[in-house]
Amino acid sequence: ERSCLLVPPRNSRELAKAVIKILENRSLQKRLSRGCRQAILKYSWEKVAEGTVKLYKQLYKQVALKN
């Protein structure tokens, strides 16, 4: 599921179009909402912490091998 509409950077006209599109399209709102809910499951505090610990272990191993 998609969780957003992408617009070009620094393009306020396209951003406005995207916002209006979402406001006027109930099925798009629901689809984006479902996509957001699915996307946030990837970023729970537990998963972020696990990723951080994994990264620290990798970095520690790299430093330990150099010394």
Side-chain angles (χ1 to χ4, degrees), residues 35-46:
C36 286
R37 284 189 200 101
Q38 291 174 354
I40 63 170
L41 296 176
K42 299 177 191 175
Y43 302 103
S44 70
W45 282 114
E46 182 178 345

Side-chain angles (χ1 to χ4, degrees), residues 14-25:
E14 289 300 315
L15 178 59
K17 285 181 185 178
V19 170
I20 291 168
K21 182 177 183 176
I22 293 169
L23 291 173
E24 292 179 343
N25 187 328

Side-chain angles (χ1 to χ4, degrees), residues 6-58:
L6 298 177
V7 296
R10 297 181 183 92
N11 191 327
S12 57
R13 178 165 284 155
E14 289 300 315
L15 178 59
K17 285 181 185 178
V19 170
I20 291 168
K21 182 177 183 176
I22 293 169
L23 291 173
E24 292 179 343
N25 187 328
R26 190 76 174 142
S27 65
L28 177 60
Q29 292 172 16
K30 289 178 182 180
R31 190 170 70 242
L32 293 177
S33 180
R34 279 193 306 271
C36 286
R37 284 189 200 101
Q38 291 174 354
I40 63 170
L41 296 176
K42 299 177 191 175
Y43 302 103
S44 70
W45 282 114
E46 182 178 345
K47 289 187 179 189
V48 170
E50 288 171 357
T52 302
V53 169
K54 182 178 177 181
L55 174 63
Y56 285 169
K57 285 180 179 180
Q58 291 171 347

